Each structure stands twice: as structure tokens, then as C-alpha cells.
């Protein structure tokens, strides 16, 4: 007998066990034992479906098990655990069903006050929306919720990872004010830790690039503020690139801009996010330059 056939037999037997608990006499005599037997059979069915790589069927079996744990046995933790198991199976066949199961698990865990676990599953939901369903708005929603729960549990590092994801997607969507605010927030937290301090350079660099995309004319003041926040930023390769970008903008010189970015990329490879943002910055050069003060100096304030 193959794994799928065994799984089908377990599943049907589990359904029969549950059906037999519906009668009046059954409810009086032995119903609880039959329910526990059904749970065992659904568990075995789910595992057998997994062995047969029948992922949707496995997810269905674990969902049935979760419902029994929640509704008949009032075991919230076990129900949530089985919804997560179902989601793990559905992720191989049906991403939306995986999300549905994870949301049910999150609802149970939050009701139990298990916010760190709920946050973890919000992150998983966000990653499915991000990578599989290409729904950035929903990914942002769940990364944000995860960050809020992690903050409440004093898990700053985990919260910041989520906030960085929100900042990255916000910048890509041209919501630069939100991205800037989040990069500054995470940088400020990093600067309070001797172990994390130097990671602030990356966050301030990304905030600076978002500033350049948002409003090139006022970006210099913001970048100077970042140097005051983190003096080591002023001597970094990132700051040297930012200075060259501002100069290229002042001089309306795309060639100098391109050379500055090429030089930086030759040492520190730029990923897709950086490439996208830097192309947007480039589009601002040659758009008419910037205002000039009465003394002839460029007005970057």
C-alpha cells in the first residue's frame, strides 16, 4: 500500500470517528475517546500525505486536526501549532491557503498573549506576500505588525529587522518620508549599542539616498545631521559618494555622477535596491540644477 492510499484510509477513518461523536448516546459515552482517536488518525493522515508529497491534502488533514483541537478539545496552543503545520504544507502548493492558516494561528497566539510567536508568523506571512504573491502592500502591513509585537516584547533586534524591510519597500514605492523616518529610527537604536553601532552607517547611507530622491535641495542638511549623529559616517566611503553626488548635482554633470557610482560599485557591489534608488537620483541631475544664493554659493539648505 502506497503512502497516499494509507493517508486516504487514515483520513476517512478519522472522518468516521468524528461523525460517530454526533449522536446523543455517543456524546454521553466515549465521545472524548473517539475525538482523540480522530486526532491521531488526522495526524497520521497528514504525515502520510507529506511522505507522498501531496501537500494540499496534508494541509487539509492538519487543518481538520486544528479545528478539533480548538473546538472540541479546547486546546488553543495545539490548535495553533497544527495550523502552522498545515501552513508549512500549503506553502508548497497554495500560498494563499498557507497565509489563511498562519492568520488563524496568529489570532490564537495573540489571544493567548504569545506575541513573540505571533510576530514570527506575521514575518512568515509578510515573506510569502513579498516573495510568492508579489503583494508589497500586504508585506508591509505584516512586517509592521510583527515589528510592533516585537517591540512590545522588548525584542529590539527582531523589530528592527522588520522595520528595515518596511523601509526598503517604502523607498521602492517612493514613500520616501516613511523610509527616511524608519532608517533614522533603526540607526538611532544601533548607535546606542557598542556592538551594533557601525551598522548605523548602512542605515544612514540608505536614509541619505532616500533624502536625495525626495528633495535634492534639502538633502545636504539632512546628511550633515547624520554626520553629527555618527561622526564616523563623515569619513566613510558612503559619505564620499554622497558628496560626489551632491557636487554632480550642483554642476549638473551626469558623467561625474556616473563615474562616482561606478567607482563605488567596483569596491562595494550595489544590489537591486541601491541600483533602483541611484537611478532615481540620477534622473534628478540635468533637471535644471539648483538655486544659487546671492553670494554665488549653491543653495542646499
Amino acid at each position: 500500500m502506497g503512502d497516499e492510499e494509507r493517508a486516504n484510509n487514515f483520513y476517512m477513518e478519522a472522518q468516521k470517528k468524528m461523525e460517530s461523536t454526533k449522536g446523543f448516546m455517543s456524546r454521553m459515552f466515549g465521545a472524548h475517546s473517539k475525538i482523540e482517536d480522530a486526532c491521531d488518525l488526522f495526524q497520521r493522515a497528514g504525515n502520510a500525505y507529506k511522505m507522498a508529497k501531496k501537500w494540499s491534502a496534508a494541509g487539509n488533514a492538519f487543518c481538520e486536526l486544528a479545528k478539533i483541537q480548538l473546538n472540541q478539545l479546547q486546546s488553543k496552543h495545539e490548535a495553533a501549532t497544527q495550523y502552522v503545520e498545515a501552513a508549512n504544507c500549503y506553502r508548497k502548493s497554495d500560498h494563499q491557503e498557507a497565509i489563511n492558516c498562519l492568520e488563524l494561528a496568529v489570532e490564537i497566539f495573540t489571544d493567548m498573549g504569545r506575541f513573540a510567536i505571533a510576530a514570527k508568523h506575521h514575518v512568515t506571512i509578510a515573506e510569502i506576500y513579498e516573495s510568492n504573491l508579489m503583494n508589497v502592500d500586504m508585506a508591509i502591513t505584516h512586517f509592521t505588525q510583527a515589528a510592533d509585537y516585537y517591540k512590545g516584547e522588548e525584542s529590539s533586534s527582531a523589530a528592527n529587522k522588520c522595520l528595515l524591510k518596511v523601509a526598503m519597500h517604502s523607498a521602492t514605492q517612493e514613500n520616501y518620508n516613511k523610509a527616511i523616518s524608519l532608517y533614522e529610527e533603526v540607526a538611532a537604536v544601533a548607535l546606542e549599542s557598542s556592538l551594533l553601532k557601525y551598522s548605523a552607517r548602512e542605515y544612514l547611507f540608505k536614509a541619505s539616498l532616500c533624502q536625495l530622491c525626495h528633495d535634492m535641495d534639502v538633502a545636504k542638511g539632512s546628511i550633515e545631521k547624520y554626520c553629527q549623529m555618527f561622526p564616523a559616517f563623515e569619513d566613510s566611503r558612503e559619505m564620499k559618494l554622497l558628496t560626489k553626488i551632491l557636487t554632480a548635482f550642483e554642476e549638473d554633470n551626469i558623467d561625474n555622477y556616473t563615474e562616482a557610482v561606478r567607482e563605488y560599485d567596483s569596491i562595494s557591489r550595489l544590489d537591486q535596491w541601491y541600483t533602483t534608488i541611484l537611478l532615481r537620483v540620477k534622473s534628478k541631475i540635468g533637471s535644471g540644477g539648483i538655486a544659487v544664493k546671492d553670494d554665488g554659493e549653491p543653495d542646499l539648505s
Side-chain angles (χ1 to χ4, degrees):
M1 185 183 297
D3 292 325
E4 184 176 4
E5 186 178 355
R6 286 176 55 246
N8 289 336
N9 289 340
F10 288 142
Y11 193 92
M12 289 186 291
E13 187 63 28
Q15 287 181 314
K16 289 178 183 177
K17 287 282 185 182
M18 288 306 298
E19 190 67 28
S20 70
T21 66
K22 293 180 180 179
F24 175 75
M25 293 301 293
S26 180
R27 288 199 300 271
M28 292 185 65
F29 303 104
H32 190 274
S33 177
K34 292 180 180 179
I35 290 170
E36 288 187 335
D37 288 344
C39 285
D40 180 64
L41 287 164
F42 277 126
Q43 180 91 51
R44 295 169 72 182
N47 289 333
Y49 280 129
K50 285 169 66 175
M51 292 174 66
K53 294 183 170 52
K54 298 297 180 180
W55 302 112
S56 290
N60 293 342
F62 289 119
C63 273
E64 290 301 317
L65 176 53
K67 291 174 187 175
I68 296 171
Q69 292 288 351
L70 185 63
N71 299 322
Q72 274 78 30
L73 300 180
Q74 283 78 53
S75 178
K76 290 184 177 181
H77 185 274
E78 187 61 29
T81 300
Q82 296 305 328
Y83 276 129
V84 172
E85 182 65 30
N88 290 337
C89 295
Y90 283 131
R91 285 188 73 173
K92 296 176 174 63
S93 62
D94 188 332
H95 294 116
Q96 189 57 59
E97 276 303 314
I99 287 172
N100 293 342
C101 288
L102 287 170
E103 287 180 335
L104 289 169
V106 164
E107 183 179 347
I108 295 169
F109 282 128
T110 53
D111 186 55
M112 296 172 65
R114 304 288 299 277
F115 294 105
I117 297 177
K120 174 185 173 183
H121 295 310
H122 269 299
V123 170
T124 303
I125 294 170
E127 290 171 346
I128 295 172
Y129 275 121
E130 178 185 52
S131 301
N132 301 113
L133 299 181
M134 307 305 172
N135 188 330
V136 174
D137 289 333
M138 290 303 296
I140 287 174
T141 296
H142 286 277
F143 278 128
T144 301
Q145 184 63 74
D148 287 343
Y149 284 165
Y150 278 132
K151 284 181 181 179
E153 297 295 293
E154 302 295 329
S155 297
S156 297
S157 177
N160 287 340
K161 287 180 182 178
C162 296
L163 293 178
L164 288 171
K165 282 284 194 175
V166 175
M168 178 189 73
H169 288 306
S170 296
T172 302
Q173 292 186 323
E174 301 184 49
N175 189 350
Y176 297 119
N177 280 332
K178 183 174 183 178
I180 291 165
S181 175
L182 291 172
Y183 281 129
E184 289 178 348
E185 177 183 341
V186 176
V189 172
L191 288 171
E192 293 177 357
S193 167
S194 59
L195 294 175
L196 302 175
K197 182 169 63 174
Y198 287 96
S199 64
R201 182 179 69 179
E202 175 190 348
Y203 312 144
L204 294 176
F205 181 44
K206 288 183 173 180
S208 298
L209 292 176
C210 291
Q211 294 279 7
L212 292 171
C213 286
H214 180 56
D215 192 332
M216 186 77 79
D217 292 340
V218 301
K220 185 176 181 181
S222 298
I223 294 170
E224 288 175 349
K225 180 186 73 175
Y226 299 153
C227 290
Q228 293 171 1
M229 287 175 60
F230 185 35
F233 186 58
E234 190 166 7
D235 296 323
S236 66
R237 292 187 62 254
E238 289 77 11
M239 185 61 195
K240 289 181 174 62
L241 174 60
L242 293 169
T243 301
K244 290 178 181 179
I245 290 174
L246 287 168
T247 301
F249 182 64
E250 293 171 27
E251 297 173 351
D252 200 16
N253 192 322
I254 288 181
D255 290 339
N256 285 353
Y257 171 88
T258 302
E259 176 59 24
V261 173
R262 185 203 63 76
E263 180 183 339
Y264 182 90
D265 182 57
S266 68
I267 299 174
S268 302
R269 297 297 297 175
L270 296 166
D271 63 19
Q272 184 59 52
W273 185 89
Y274 280 117
T275 301
T276 298
I277 299 301
L278 284 165
L279 283 171
R280 292 178 186 174
V281 173
K282 183 178 182 179
S283 70
K284 291 179 173 290
I285 300 175
S287 59
I290 60 176
V292 176
K293 297 179 181 179
D294 292 339
D295 61 3
E297 293 294 318
D299 186 0
L300 294 172
S301 61

